[in-house]
Amino acid sequence: MMQSTALAAKGGATSVDFPSRGNRVLAGCGLIRNRSLGSNRLPMPDRGLCFGSSRLRSSIDFGVEMARLRSGVAGIFRSRDKARYVTVQASGDMEDFPSEKLTTKSSGNVLPYVAVACLGAILFGYHLAVVNGSLEYLAKDLGIAENTVLQGWVVSTTLAGATVGSFTGGSLADKFGRTRTFQLDAIPLAIGAFLSATAQDVRTMIIGRLLAGIGIGISSAVVPLYISEIAPTEIRGALGSVNQLFICVGILVALVAGLPLAGNPLWWRTMFTVAVVPSVLMALGMVFCPESPRWLFQQGKISQAETAIKKLYGKEKVTDVMHDLRAGGEGSTEPDAGWLDLFNARYRKVVSVGAALFLFQQLAGINAVVYYSTSVFRSAGIASDVAASALVGASNVFGTTIASSLMDKKGRKSLLITSFMGMAASMLLLSLSFTWNVLAPYSGTLAVLGTVLYVLSFSLGAGPVPALLLPEIFASRIRAKAVALSLGMHWVSNFIIGLYFLSVVNKFGISRVYLGFATVCILAVLYIARNVVETKGRSLEEIERALSATV
């Protein structure tokens, strides 16, 4: 998800299935053998079993049997994907199940609701980045210009608040629902922005930044969760990666908002005040947004779930979606999982994957690249900090946009692997540009090239995919808390890396640190290849059933 943090801080007839044999029995038509699970041909019936004898001797019997067969054929087309999926579920191999589905036109009804949710993503990026350009001016205004420790608190308090908020967001989403959590989240976001804008002393500023941090921590958990649960399967990847894109947009808006500071030193108060507006709009917009049908079904609110489905996808989708929810066990009598349930044998492995992805994301060096981007660009003759930030930000937005278009075509796993491989190569290039004497004449240019390639590679997969993938792989009863736990890992590791990074660089040198980051990227590729499943083109219920079968 989160190069953003570093950028700021410096996605008819019924049938009976026989999963172990890949066979199907059609009502009134006997046993149908599925000749090839990978074939597009219609499974051919065994004549002796389907028609009762090897030949039809009566035209009347033939007409009756053909009518039954036509009804059965319709059932085959309707249930074909589900039958094939159950077979894969029995084998426990997610990768063997082809992702293509019977195509249906996606409803555009979800887009306005995704847009409202993405206000939380914009605020995420904005609150992280707004302090960068304004810190020098607010420090003078609040009398802490010579106190770097207090300035550090103004910056880092937001990260501490975000850690608390990310854990809180999961519990709130489980208890009150996704849309109500958005509305509750608007409270610390708006109050935090207002206190920061009106602060007359550093204590008030720190409280405001802490509240804003809690708000963005909740947003970091609930935005990808809500989008993944309301997005149609065939475009869930694209819509999920929009979350990361709007975080980047929030960062860029904060950078642009700081331009008038040079001519108006008190403009920093306006910069914080602006953040109140999207907070209020998000709270009001959620009044008109449907609740997640999956959460409603889990709560036993069947009629409300059907109403939400109708609003999201149209009334013609109600039956299909409700069937998926029932098949996925979303309406089971199991209560929402507690925090300790995340570590039992049933969920331990999949939860560890979520935590590991965010850990690799942070240990891969995104903070280092962004923190050092200014000095790297200066070595290449780019003296303007604004130009350096704009180049990194533009690379980030461009890469995330490309990732959005590829997410549902290439898949999440392949983008993750490609991303970390690109990051490893970029880190190697950066390390060599600082150490090889033969490259000294080109070191500045190579360093800039390595930085831009790294940010592009990161934004293609390691940035947007984890926040999208985690709500997809977590079972419904643990989804909110498991997402929150994984994001908590992100915030904690980000805080620790920010705390000790400069000390490590001073001890070992930036070149060796970059080599270490390259090694982490390679380890991430090996881990992802072995442990991460591909989820493109599959409904959340299908993914849950397949992963449950492997437990």
Side-chain angles (χ1 to χ4, degrees):
M1 178 181 190
M2 316 259 181
Q3 74 266 45
S4 324
T5 306
L7 285 168
K10 142 94 185 221
T14 59
S15 63
V16 182
D17 296 303
F18 290 86
S20 62
R21 298 182 181 273
N23 299 330
R24 192 183 286 116
V25 173
L26 296 175
C29 199
L31 181 64
I32 296 289
R33 287 195 177 92
N34 218 348
R35 296 284 177 87
S36 172
L37 288 178
S39 172
N40 291 323
R41 294 174 298 178
L42 183 68
M44 296 303 293
D46 184 302
R47 296 178 190 175
L49 289 173
C50 184
F51 296 113
S53 64
S54 62
R55 297 181 184 274
L56 289 174
R57 304 185 183 278
S58 166
S59 60
I60 296 177
D61 289 343
F62 181 79
V64 172
E65 295 296 339
M66 286 303 294
R68 289 177 178 174
L69 180 59
R70 282 194 298 270
S71 178
V73 168
I76 292 173
F77 279 114
R78 281 194 299 269
S79 62
R80 180 183 177 201
D81 282 348
K82 290 184 175 64
R84 291 166 62 194
Y85 185 85
V86 173
T87 304
V88 176
Q89 178 189 356
S91 68
D93 192 349
M94 262 303 266
E95 302 292 344
D96 288 344
F97 178 62
S99 61
E100 59 268 15
K101 290 181 171 292
L102 298 177
T103 57
T104 56
K105 186 177 180 180
S106 300
S107 171
N109 293 343
V110 300
L111 298 181
Y113 312 127
V114 171
V116 174
C118 283
L119 288 173
I122 291 175
L123 287 165
F124 181 117
Y126 189 87
H127 275 294
L128 283 175
V130 70
V131 74
N132 283 350
S134 62
L135 182 61
E136 176 185 351
Y137 299 91
L138 70 85
K140 292 179 180 178
D141 207 14
L142 300 179
I144 58 170
E146 305 301 323
N147 194 329
T148 56
V149 174
L150 287 179
Q151 291 182 40
W153 274 102
V154 170
V155 175
S156 60
T157 299
T158 304
L159 298 178
T163 304
V164 174
S166 64
F167 285 107
T168 306
S171 298
L172 291 175
D174 274 343
K175 185 173 183 179
F176 298 108
R178 292 21 171 172
T179 56
R180 182 61 59 85
T181 300
F182 274 106
Q183 293 174 319
L184 293 173
D185 185 31
I187 297 174
L189 285 170
I191 294 177
F194 178 78
L195 289 178
S196 299
T198 59
Q200 300 299 320
D201 54 68
V202 68
R203 180 182 301 177
T204 306
M205 172 60 72
I206 289 175
I207 293 174
R209 294 290 290 164
L210 178 64
L211 288 174
I214 292 172
I216 66 174
I218 296 173
S219 293
S220 71
V222 74
V223 173
L225 177 66
Y226 180 69
I227 292 176
S228 71
E229 291 188 339
I230 69 168
T233 299
E234 57 271 24
I235 58 171
R236 190 175 62 240
L239 292 182
S241 55
V242 164
N243 170 51
Q244 177 69 18
L245 181 61
F246 276 94
I247 293 174
C248 301
V249 170
I251 293 173
L252 289 178
V253 170
L255 293 175
V256 172
L259 292 178
L261 279 169
N264 182 5
L266 293 179
W267 181 256
W268 68 268
R269 295 188 182 274
T270 303
M271 293 171 64
F272 283 100
T273 304
V274 166
V276 176
V277 177
S279 304
V280 175
L281 290 177
M282 184 176 71
L284 294 176
M286 278 296 157
V287 174
F288 305 98
C289 291
E291 182 54 79
S292 162
R294 291 171 171 82
W295 182 82
L296 291 170
F297 203 99
Q298 181 69 20
Q299 304 302 310
K301 301 177 180 179
I302 308 301
S303 62
Q304 294 180 40
E306 292 176 344
T307 301
I309 294 168
K310 188 181 300 183
K311 190 172 183 180
L312 285 166
Y313 316 119
K315 62 181 180 180
E316 67 277 1
K317 295 282 189 177
V318 173
T319 301
D320 291 340
V321 177
M322 291 297 291
H323 179 276
D324 281 343
L325 292 176
R326 291 188 178 94
E330 299 260 1
S332 68
T333 57
E334 288 186 289
D336 290 332
W339 286 104
L340 293 179
D341 292 331
L342 302 182
F343 304 99
N344 64 29
R346 181 178 177 184
Y347 300 120
R348 187 186 306 128
K349 182 177 180 180
V350 70
V351 171
S352 68
V353 169
L357 285 179
F358 274 113
L359 190 61
F360 278 125
Q361 183 194 70
Q362 292 302 301
L363 293 179
I366 183 61
N367 291 329
V369 170
V370 176
Y371 288 151
Y372 271 80
S373 63
T374 300
S375 59
V376 165
F377 290 137
R378 284 177 180 171
S379 69
I382 302 175
S384 172
D385 292 351
V386 175
S389 298
L391 185 56
V392 172
S395 303
N396 185 18
V397 172
F398 178 73
T400 305
T401 303
I402 297 299
S404 298
S405 65
L406 296 178
M407 203 71 70
D408 293 307
K409 297 178 182 177
K410 300 299 182 182
R412 287 62 151 159
K413 184 174 181 177
S414 60
L415 283 180
L416 276 175
I417 292 175
T418 302
S419 174
F420 276 105
M421 290 177 64
M423 291 157 61
S426 302
M427 277 296 180
L428 184 60
L429 178 61
L430 282 167
S431 178
L432 294 178
S433 69
F434 286 117
T435 54
W436 277 21
N437 293 331
V438 68
L439 298 177
Y442 316 103
S443 60
T445 301
L446 290 176
V448 170
L449 180 62
T451 298
V452 172
L453 288 177
Y454 180 92
V455 174
L456 275 173
S457 299
F458 189 94
S459 60
L460 280 175
V465 170
L468 165 64
L469 184 67
L470 301 196
E472 295 181 324
I473 65 174
F474 292 143
S476 57
R477 70 185 297 262
I478 69 165
R479 187 171 293 140
K481 288 187 176 66
V483 169
L485 178 66
S486 300
L487 286 166
M489 175 64 70
H490 160 265
W491 290 113
V492 170
S493 58
N494 184 18
F495 181 79
I496 293 174
I497 291 170
L499 191 63
Y500 293 106
F501 173 70
L502 290 179
S503 300
V504 173
V505 170
N506 290 334
K507 184 174 182 179
F508 297 102
I510 188 62
S511 179
R512 290 184 179 179
V513 172
Y514 278 169
L515 283 177
F517 289 145
T519 303
V520 170
C521 292
I522 294 172
L523 292 176
V525 170
L526 298 176
Y527 179 86
I528 291 165
R530 182 173 180 177
N531 295 282
V532 175
V533 298
E534 183 53 72
T535 60
K536 71 165 183 172
R538 300 179 175 101
S539 72
L540 299 183
E541 291 71 41
E542 289 174 343
I543 297 166
E544 179 173 343
R545 289 198 298 271
L547 291 175
S548 297
T550 65
V551 176

